[in-house]
Amino acid sequence: MNETLFSQIQRLFERTYAQVGINLEDCLIDRRRCAQLSILAGNSARELSELARTFLRRAGDQLYVGIYYSHWLIDQLEQHDPRAGLGDRNIRSLIMFVEEINHALHAALQFARNLELQAQVDTYLVLLLFVAFFRKTQRVSRTDRRWLRFHLFARQCPEAFRDKNLLGRYLETTQLAANYTHYLDTLNGVRRLDEIRRFHSLDYGEKRQRVLALTDGDGN
């Protein structure tokens, strides 16, 4: 079965960065759906090209992606397939085609990183509650925390990742989670609750910057 231009470009990006885990070609939408999403997007949609658009919507722990290409743009790429040669007749169409795939892929990767980081932070907090429940004093000792950190952050097996990009993503989110939870351990109950609620509202880039700012990027 011959690969489509779309799938080849997605695979190229994934080899460079990391696998996104979904077939972005399944996110293609038609003109009618594009019109509906453009209305929902409001004034911001006016700035988007009529030839190609990417729509992103987050709902809880789900990211919804819609990629639209006009019939004209697809016709241009079919008539002048860039895999057969690149020139003035298809260069602009290919640029728009690639850019939308790139937007969707990086949005999905950032969303996945965000979930991984948030999941590790939340898991640590839940584990603390379990430990406290079985302590007569309802207090968690430093030894308890070191034991939890060992199992949650230190005892993982990064060598299980064959893909270097996935390994890099795993190591980064794990280190950020370890540093951030160490910071949370210094806060009292009220401040910790305010902090984790604020942290949850941030996207991955903002989470990363906050952790680095709070911990100076140390490896605690």
Side-chain angles (χ1 to χ4, degrees):
M1 181 178 178
N2 293 330
E3 285 189 298
T4 63
L5 177 62
F6 191 109
S7 64
Q8 289 178 328
I9 293 173
Q10 177 179 343
R11 188 157 53 87
L12 175 62
F13 280 136
E14 289 181 325
R15 286 205 306 266
T16 304
Y17 299 105
Q19 293 183 358
V20 72
I22 61 173
N23 179 10
L24 291 175
E25 210 162 2
D26 292 337
C27 300
L28 289 171
I29 59 175
D30 58 20
R31 183 175 180 179
R32 179 180 178 183
R33 184 57 177 160
C34 175
Q36 294 172 338
L37 293 177
S38 296
I39 293 174
L40 294 174
N43 293 334
S44 60
R46 297 177 183 176
E47 305 296 325
L48 302 176
S49 170
E50 295 291 338
L51 300 178
R53 297 183 174 189
T54 297
F55 298 92
L56 303 169
R57 181 173 67 89
R58 176 178 176 176
D61 289 339
Q62 296 290 326
L63 178 68
Y64 296 92
V65 179
I67 305 172
Y68 168 74
Y69 294 116
S70 68
H71 288 304
W72 181 87
L73 187 145
I74 297 301
D75 288 343
Q76 294 302 304
L77 292 174
E78 288 180 345
Q79 294 175 24
H80 311 289
D81 193 331
R83 291 170 294 185
L86 196 60
D88 291 338
R89 293 180 297 181
N90 60 8
I91 179 64
R92 295 304 303 168
S93 298
L94 181 60
I95 288 173
M96 287 186 283
F97 190 78
V98 171
E99 284 182 341
E100 301 310 319
I101 299 174
N102 186 263
H103 292 333
L105 182 135
H106 282 293
L109 287 177
Q110 287 292 91
F111 188 78
R113 284 175 182 254
N114 193 15
L115 288 182
E116 290 172 8
L117 175 54
Q118 188 67 54
Q120 291 192 60
V121 171
D122 290 347
T123 299
Y124 178 74
L125 296 175
V126 170
L127 292 175
L128 286 178
L129 292 176
F130 270 86
V131 171
F133 179 79
F134 292 105
R135 295 290 182 268
K136 292 181 179 180
T137 61
Q138 298 291 293
R139 296 179 65 87
V140 181
S141 69
R142 290 184 179 180
T143 300
D144 290 329
R145 294 179 192 276
R146 285 197 296 269
W147 179 73
L148 289 179
R149 289 180 175 283
F150 171 73
H151 285 281
L152 185 57
F153 303 126
R155 199 186 178 187
Q156 302 300 324
C157 301
E159 62 273 11
F161 293 93
R162 296 182 179 179
D163 186 284
K164 292 183 179 180
N165 294 309
L166 287 176
L167 173 60
R169 187 175 79 184
Y170 163 81
L171 292 176
E172 180 177 271
T173 55
T174 298
Q175 187 61 63
L176 289 172
N179 288 355
Y180 183 65
T181 53
H182 179 81
Y183 168 74
L184 290 178
D185 285 343
T186 68
L187 304 179
N188 62 37
V190 175
R191 289 184 59 199
R192 182 165 60 246
L193 182 59
D194 289 341
E195 172 59 34
I196 60 177
R197 285 175 174 171
R198 174 183 178 182
F199 188 75
H200 176 267
S201 68
L202 304 177
D203 63 26
Y204 180 75
E206 293 169 332
K207 279 185 170 67
R208 183 177 184 277
Q209 289 303 314
R210 178 147 186 80
V211 174
L212 295 178
L214 290 171
T215 64
D216 293 326
D218 61 39
N220 291 325

